[in-house]
Amino acid sequence: MLRQRTGCRPARLASNVSWLTRFRTREFRANAMTVACAAALTLIGTPESAVAQSPRQAVTSRQLQLSLPAQPLALTIDALARQSGVGIGLDASLATGKNAPALQGSMTLGQALDRVLSGSGLTAAANGSGVSIRRENDSVSTLEAVTVTAVTSPWELPPPYAGGQVARGGRVGLLGDLDFMDTPFNQTSYTAQLIENQQAQMIADVLVGDPSVRDSGRKYGQASNAFFIRGLPFATIDASFNGLRGVFPNYRQPVEALERIEVLKGPNALLNGMGTSIAGDINLVPKRAGPEPLTRLNVGYMSDSEYGTHLDLGRRFGQDDAWGVRVNAVYRDGDTPIDEQSGRLAMGAVGLDYQGEKLRMSLDLIHQDIKLDNVSPFSFTFATPDIPSPPPSDSAILLGGKADHEETTAAFRAEYDFSDAVSAYVAAGHLKSRSDTVNTQVANIMPDGSYQGTLSTDAYGLDNTNIQVGANVNFATGPVQHKVAISADRYHQRSFMRSSGRSANGPTMPGNIYEPMEGQLPAVPTSGRWVSNGTVDRESIAVADTLSFIEDRVNLIVGVRKQYVEQEGAVRGGTVHYKDDAWTPMVGLVVKPRHDLSLYANYVQGLLQGSTVRDVSSPDNGKMFPPYKAEQYEVGIKKDFGEFATTVSLFQIEQPTQLVDPITREYSQDGQQRNRGIEWNMFGDLTPQLSVLGGISYVRAELTKTAGGLNEGHQAPGIPKLQANLGIEWHVPAVTGLTLGARVIRTGAAYLDAANTQRISGWTRYDVGARYATRIGGKEVTFRGTVENVFNKNYWIGVNGGAVLSAPRTFLLSASIDF
């Protein structure tokens, strides 16, 4: 008899709400008390009206991505049980002498069982807590005719969609996990399967396939990444880790520890609070131990000569397997695709969790140490409108840059269900980050490639802490269902520098981008102990209500967040202090005329921490501006064809920008940039053998208010109007386990300056790959190979204030085995 996972746990509340444990201001305490009283009054009225969450969708409708060879029937049934998480009972005598055909592509568990049992005289039937394989004459009901609930954690993530590359949904801030058809935003959740198959080493490797996102850094040449989402910059320090902002490692984020990378596009202050970016949110979901033991070893190679090893272990133990541990360890070392550049990365991550009937807890610990020699310049700036042709993309340009990063993360989360309608949680995370770097600066490049180059040291540290606590309540008022989310959090950041100073510049040296040269270090490099040089405190309270009408065919989300920010920092000549607050509302609407069609709209504000003027030539030097507010209007339509889904979104985002008077040198926030755009996203299976992922994005980023109207109406620097992606995977029918893939990435031309005189050409990149899944010695083995930038094309990539150089042709090879 095959091992079964039996017993079905009740569905849990999907969304989470937090409440703050520390109140720093009288006004903050007063507002918190107001929301707390409202919550208490709500709870008083819930016993009779409380509505339990509906059961999870039957696993018979969930798509599985299968790649199983022709083999004995018992082995295939065992593999289906492990991959689906459903207990499948099979008497060994019934399987004797029977073989199963190969299973390739995306299908439901019921479809898979129909195929492997066809002609065997056996059929699948529900047994209440799982599935049983029986003789056809003994069957009572077939699998497709009943609802079968898998034994899954209350923390189970939205299941993968057809093709396995993205999930059906993801976290939407304080609203919790939502199906993509129920979300009034454009969101994409990328799976661990995609991360593994793309042999990703950092977030940029995963998001490269999203048409609304572009990496603003040179992938392998730099020590960190930043992104543009809908044409607005997104800093990696703003990424959320299991809902906690700013506590995940900031440099070359270790994706090997992640189960999902969820991208929410557009401002979202109500959902996630204030950050240093308003472009959207990237939520990183940690791996958890699954129902079956996992021991996976992966060895890999990246050109020029970097070798790596990744060990992934998962176990559950204790009564009812309530306790789980997931361990990921990574080590990479060698030369990167950039000439004369080498790097080393060591990372360890441990994820512990407890899953009881009412109480659930998790603890994640991550530590990584990164070293990189001869880092590439963060950006290139040009002296004239005549932009020179880019140098070879594997060129290091200016040698001597270095990066040394050490980061540690700890994150805890606990949830408790008081009833089927009321739950609460507390979460806390901390990041300790220390970085010593030597940056390369290449500026004023002439048409012949000559430039002025500088090496500068930079010592920078962060201690970030984020605390969230709260509750979630479901109830009904007549025919209207309510999901009330109340959230509060506190974010504290303390920045550090070396006691001898944060940075120092070396001498400026002439060079040429076509002839790599050695730079010269500062005479007095930055050194000494770490000392604090500033703090940022952000506190907020928020409440949102999801009102559902007509059996969930109409969902209206209304909410508001009150945000407080306080900042202290050092500038030339002394220190400055700043304190302010702001309200940020949101309204979202989802209308589903059919279960497979969603129409949505939202109005939401973004809130960006005010900047500090650091200009000794200005009388405003040291001035801190109040928070920036951005507004987004968005409408869209989503269609789910069952195995293929598509989303079309139209949006407008308006945000203030900083201006400086060219005569008085006075600064203001009177500028404005307006981004209007349309996005088309698609994912899933076009056929059982062909999967697709991609889309098109068009953004008109217009400078609508400028100093003296000088550049009004121009396209904002660094933002191309057109971005398009198309990735396909073909599961070769003639060769069981073989999958071929290809991807094309197109980015249009962009301006590098507000005057729109410096223009770089658009570019197209092609990638190809293949993987082969098989069994060797009874073990599941997968071989993967990828070539990025197949034609080794050299091109400039526009960023805010300059450009970066493309990554060269890169070969990636790996092999993984499950023990």
Side-chain angles (χ1 to χ4, degrees):
M1 195 91 170
L2 295 179
R3 180 186 178 190
Q4 294 191 41
R5 304 272 303 163
T6 60
C8 298
R9 299 179 182 177
R12 306 293 179 179
L13 297 174
S15 52
N16 300 311
V17 181
S18 55
W19 194 250
L20 193 63
T21 57
R22 178 181 178 186
F23 309 106
R24 292 171 57 89
T25 68
R26 180 176 301 174
E27 183 179 359
F28 183 76
R29 290 194 295 268
N31 281 281
M33 289 294 292
T34 301
V35 177
C37 291
L41 291 174
T42 300
L43 292 174
I44 293 173
T46 57
E48 287 80 20
S49 58
V51 178
Q53 188 180 17
S54 58
R56 295 183 182 276
Q57 185 178 5
V59 294
T60 52
S61 65
R62 187 172 64 184
Q63 296 290 321
L64 305 176
Q65 187 64 28
L66 301 176
S67 181
L68 301 177
Q71 58 186 347
L73 176 61
L75 293 179
T76 293
I77 296 298
D78 180 61
L80 290 174
R82 286 187 287 108
Q83 188 160 342
S84 66
V86 177
I88 304 178
L90 173 64
D91 191 318
S93 64
L94 297 179
T96 302
K98 292 183 171 64
N99 293 317
L103 292 178
Q104 193 74 37
S106 178
M107 62 193 75
T108 66
L109 175 59
Q111 291 169 340
L113 290 173
D114 278 350
R115 293 189 189 185
V116 301
L117 298 178
S118 178
S120 68
L122 304 176
T123 189
N127 63 13
S129 60
V131 178
S132 296
I133 306 299
R134 305 173 179 177
R135 294 183 179 89
E136 288 182 345
N137 294 335
D138 297 335
S139 176
V140 177
S141 60
T142 63
L143 179 63
E144 289 294 310
V146 298
T147 297
V148 182
T149 304
V151 179
T152 55
S153 161
W155 277 354
E156 182 191 14
L157 298 171
Y161 194 77
Q165 300 182 94
V166 302
R168 282 205 59 93
R171 179 182 293 272
V172 187
L174 83 164
L175 302 179
D177 286 338
L178 295 178
D179 188 274
F180 80 99
M181 295 292 286
D182 298 325
T183 304
F185 296 94
N186 188 332
Q187 185 192 51
T188 307
S189 180
Y190 298 99
T191 65
Q193 176 179 314
L194 178 72
I195 295 172
E196 292 176 1
N197 289 337
Q198 291 192 347
Q199 304 180 76
Q201 295 186 1
M202 61 192 82
I203 292 177
D205 296 327
V206 180
L207 301 188
V208 70
D210 194 309
S212 302
V213 182
R214 281 295 181 266
D215 179 17
S216 62
R218 192 180 185 191
K219 178 180 169 183
Y220 298 112
Q222 297 177 352
S224 63
N225 297 109
F227 303 94
F228 284 95
I229 303 176
R230 289 185 169 175
L232 299 173
F234 180 87
T236 53
I237 193 63
D238 274 340
S240 301
F241 181 50
N242 205 21
L244 291 165
R245 175 165 280 180
V247 301
F248 195 72
N250 188 30
Y251 299 95
R252 300 178 83 90
Q253 298 78 16
V255 296
E256 292 88 352
L258 301 179
E259 184 67 32
R260 297 278 167 85
I261 298 177
E262 302 170 339
V263 183
L264 179 69
K265 297 154 190 174
N268 55 93
L270 167 74
L271 302 175
N272 296 290
M274 173 190 285
T276 60
S277 309
I278 60 171
D281 182 54
I282 297 176
N283 184 50
L284 310 172
V285 182
K287 288 180 176 178
R288 294 282 175 257
E292 296 297 330
L294 173 68
T295 303
R296 179 172 297 160
L297 178 65
N298 184 86
V299 293
Y301 162 84
M302 180 180 74
S303 58
D304 192 24
S305 60
E306 181 186 89
Y307 297 88
T309 302
H310 172 208
L311 179 64
D312 189 355
L313 298 171
R315 295 289 188 276
R316 302 211 67 83
F317 55 92
Q319 185 175 359
D320 297 327
D321 284 347
W323 294 90
V325 59
R326 188 76 176 262
V327 177
N328 282 268
V330 178
Y331 184 82
R332 291 195 293 268
D333 196 358
D335 295 336
T336 77
I338 311 299
D339 284 348
E340 301 190 61
Q341 184 185 93
S342 61
R344 177 181 65 81
L345 178 143
M347 187 277 291
V350 179
L352 305 172
D353 71 275
Y354 171 80
Q355 300 174 13
E357 283 297 318
K358 292 186 176 183
L359 176 65
R360 300 169 301 281
M361 298 184 295
S362 68
L363 176 65
D364 292 282
L365 303 172
I366 302 174
H367 180 80
Q368 71 169 5
D369 192 349
I370 300 171
K371 297 184 185 298
L372 193 63
D373 292 327
N374 288 324
V375 297
S376 300
F378 277 100
S379 67
F380 298 78
T381 60
F382 303 90
T384 75
D386 189 359
I387 307 297
S389 299
S393 55
D394 60 357
S395 174
I397 311 297
L398 182 61
L399 303 176
K402 294 180 182 294
D404 189 347
H405 305 297
E406 187 172 358
E407 298 179 289
T408 302
T409 287
F412 171 80
R413 189 177 192 91
E415 296 182 6
Y416 187 80
D417 296 335
F418 293 96
S419 69
D420 287 338
V422 181
S423 67
Y425 84 84
V426 58
H430 181 77
L431 167 69
K432 179 180 179 180
S433 176
R434 299 293 185 268
S435 301
D436 283 303
T437 64
V438 178
N439 297 321
T440 57
Q441 304 172 22
V442 176
N444 297 318
I445 303 175
M446 301 298 291
D448 63 355
S450 59
Y451 67 84
Q452 298 294 314
T454 307
L455 295 185
S456 62
T457 59
D458 190 13
Y460 186 66
L462 289 175
D463 280 358
N464 293 348
T465 303
N466 190 196
I467 301 172
Q468 301 174 356
V469 289
N472 189 74
V473 182
N474 291 3
F475 64 96
T477 54
V480 181
Q481 305 295 321
H482 297 263
K483 295 181 180 179
V484 177
I486 309 167
S487 168
D489 70 273
R490 179 172 188 265
Y491 176 87
H492 175 75
Q493 179 182 91
R494 182 176 295 275
S495 58
F496 293 84
M497 65 180 185
R498 293 290 191 182
S499 57
S500 58
R502 174 174 172 176
S503 61
N505 294 327
T508 299
M509 303 173 59
N512 194 287
I513 60 175
Y514 305 114
E515 299 174 2
M517 59 173 285
E518 288 279 353
Q520 188 171 337
L521 290 171
V524 182
T526 303
S527 60
R529 61 186 178 87
W530 292 98
V531 296
S532 176
N533 73 328
T535 61
V536 176
D537 286 284
R538 300 197 297 260
E539 298 171 337
S540 70
I541 54 175
V543 60
D545 186 8
T546 301
L547 299 91
S548 299
F549 308 86
I550 319 174
E551 298 181 344
D552 288 342
R553 288 185 177 272
V554 177
N555 291 325
L556 175 65
I557 303 173
V558 293
V560 66
R561 182 182 295 267
K562 182 64 178 292
Q563 183 79 55
Y564 302 82
V565 58
E566 185 174 358
Q567 184 174 357
E568 294 181 357
V571 297
R572 291 183 178 95
T575 61
V576 293
H577 178 265
Y578 162 84
K579 189 176 183 180
D580 208 341
D581 59 79
W583 290 92
T584 51
M586 188 206 91
V587 178
L589 177 67
V590 178
V591 178
K592 296 197 287 186
R594 300 159 43 100
H595 74 280
D596 57 357
L597 180 66
S598 288
L599 310 175
Y600 78 91
N602 68 66
Y603 167 78
V604 62
Q605 290 187 350
L607 193 62
L608 183 65
Q609 182 177 304
S611 60
T612 302
V613 177
R614 300 182 185 275
D615 183 353
V616 294
S617 68
S618 169
D620 292 329
N621 185 42
K623 179 180 179 180
M624 287 185 174
F625 284 103
Y628 290 67
K629 272 191 178 182
E631 292 185 316
Q632 173 177 276
Y633 299 87
E634 179 179 359
V635 296
I637 182 170
K638 303 178 182 182
K639 173 64 175 174
D640 183 0
F641 294 92
E643 296 186 352
F644 175 79
T646 184
T647 298
V648 177
S649 307
L650 291 90
F651 62 87
Q652 173 180 290
I653 304 172
E654 292 182 334
Q655 67 159 350
T657 58
Q658 193 176 88
L659 299 181
V660 57
D661 189 294
I663 299 176
T664 66
R665 303 299 300 168
E666 293 179 340
Y667 283 74
S668 71
Q669 288 186 170
D670 296 332
Q672 186 183 75
Q673 177 179 320
R674 183 181 63 206
N675 289 16
R676 286 176 173 170
I678 181 171
E679 298 165 330
W680 173 44
N681 298 86
M682 57 181 177
F683 53 86
D685 286 345
L686 295 179
T687 71
Q689 288 77 40
L690 188 65
S691 301
V692 63
L693 175 65
I696 299 174
S697 171
Y698 179 88
V699 178
R700 174 72 168 100
E702 183 180 356
L703 301 177
T704 52
K705 294 181 182 179
T706 61
L710 184 60
N711 297 312
E712 205 153 308
H714 289 185
Q715 180 81 357
I719 305 175
K721 291 182 180 179
L722 177 67
Q723 297 179 170
N725 297 60
L726 179 61
I728 58 173
E729 286 192 341
W730 180 44
H731 308 292
V732 182
V735 183
T736 301
L738 177 62
T739 301
L740 304 179
R743 178 173 57 203
V744 58
I745 303 169
R746 173 63 185 174
T747 299
Y751 293 104
L752 304 183
D753 63 333
N756 286 184
T757 60
Q758 296 181 336
R759 182 180 184 273
I760 58 173
S761 301
W763 51 271
T764 304
R765 177 182 127 184
Y766 298 92
D767 304 335
V768 297
R771 66 178 181 272
Y772 179 62
T774 186
R775 295 178 70 88
I776 299 177
K779 309 296 183 183
E780 295 182 9
V781 180
T782 303
F783 300 96
R784 298 178 176 91
T786 302
V787 184
E788 297 177 344
N789 193 3
V790 173
F791 300 108
N792 202 28
K793 185 175 178 62
N794 307 319
Y795 50 88
W796 296 114
I797 303 173
V799 296
N800 191 9
V804 295
L805 188 59
S806 61
R809 179 168 51 214
T810 303
F811 296 90
L812 296 160
L813 299 172
S814 68
S816 65
I817 180 171
D818 289 1
F819 293 96

